[in-house]
Amino acid sequence: MHTNLCDGADSPEDMVKAAISSGLKHIGFSGHFDPNVPMDITKYKQEIRRLKKKYKDEIDILLGAEVDLLYDVNEASDCEYIIGSTHSLSIDGGTPSVDDTSEKLESLCNEHFGGDYYKLTKAYYELESTVIETLHPDFIGHFDIVTKFNGGNRYWDEDDCRYLNPALETMEYLAKSGIPFEINTAAYYRGMRDEFYPCTTLLKALFGFGGRIVISSDAHNRSVLTGAFDKAVQKAMECGFTHCLLLVSSSGGIKWEELPLDGL
Ligand SMILES: [Zn+2]
Ligand SMILES: [Zn+2]
């Protein structure tokens, strides 16, 4: 979940209250640690720790960080979990984003990849393949967010092997290290895509690679805390998965619990 301390709409406390009233037992804050999204990190950590204590009898609150691959991960070293996300490329000392606006994606592609989106997406997945060694995250965020503006294959064909092969290669490499992947429902419930991250093709491949999944709403306001979770459960089962993971507090830290999808 994101809050108004970075690019979300609601205060952390309003997010907590909404989660309690909708019956959630565990929630995770994942403020952006990102060169392109400003956040007062000290204030963020203080506020989530304050809420964690205040509401400890009502809900399990985890202090997490969604760390961009190009950010200094040491800033998040005292957070309870890290989502490893790739939002940008690293080019000529700059960090141009691939998920900000379609215009920015177009100029990035035209200026640095001669208008070839297969080259751009290959560069994206090559960078993403370094996420474990760089960040040591607890799970991978929105694996294929580079497709955010590619609805209807507007810029490239997502079934073309020039796109799929680099994506699959990185996915296999990361999955075989054992790190879970998030099924991120945000673009789906915002009506931007009719797919989750990762898309159906990649989710099926992930199952084949022995990958594990976490279901996440990436909520930026309190009305979508569990946005499209029912559809994500259905989709995961269609792709072969029988379980998903849940991150919870345990004495002195955090641990993964495994939940059967059937019946969620
Ligand atoms: Zn955000
Ligand atoms: Zn993100």
Side-chain angles (χ1 to χ4, degrees), residues 2 7 32 66 218 220:
H2 299 272
D7 59 349
H32 285 285
E66 182 186 0
D218 196 359
H220 282 63

Side-chain angles (χ1 to χ4, degrees), residues 124-250:
Y124 176 84
Y125 287 115
E126 276 171 4
L127 180 64
E128 190 171 25
S129 71
T130 66
V131 69
I132 295 182
E133 63 210 66
T134 308
L135 301 181
H136 306 288
D138 294 280
F139 62 97
I140 305 288
H142 47 59
F143 176 75
D144 54 350
I145 201 167
V146 70
T147 63
K148 182 170 180 178
F149 302 112
N150 196 44
N153 287 333
R154 178 175 173 195
Y155 295 112
W156 70 89
D157 177 1
E158 289 181 30
D159 290 324
D160 191 302
C161 60
R162 285 171 294 171
Y163 168 72
L164 269 183
N165 286 352
L168 289 169
E169 214 172 287
T170 291
M171 176 172 259
E172 180 172 19
Y173 171 73
L174 297 175
K176 293 207 163 154
S177 80
I179 192 163
F181 283 60
E182 123 187 302
I183 296 185
N184 181 311
T185 60
Y188 181 89
Y189 64 68
R190 288 177 191 154
M192 292 195 61
R193 276 167 48 117
D194 53 6
E195 287 274 15
F196 301 116
Y197 303 122
C199 70
T200 307
T201 305
L202 292 176
L203 264 182
K204 284 183 180 161
L206 181 63
F207 176 72
F209 297 141
R212 300 182 301 156
I213 50 164
V214 185
I215 295 175
S216 156
S217 63
D218 196 359
H220 282 63
N221 72 69
R222 64 191 160 176
S223 72
V224 291
L225 294 178
T226 57
F229 274 12
D230 51 343
K231 297 259 177 357
V233 167
Q234 222 178 336
K235 175 64 75 180
M237 289 170 69
E238 264 169 50
C239 294
F241 293 94
T242 56
H243 291 76
C244 70
L245 295 167
L246 179 70
L247 206 49
V248 301
S249 291
S250 74

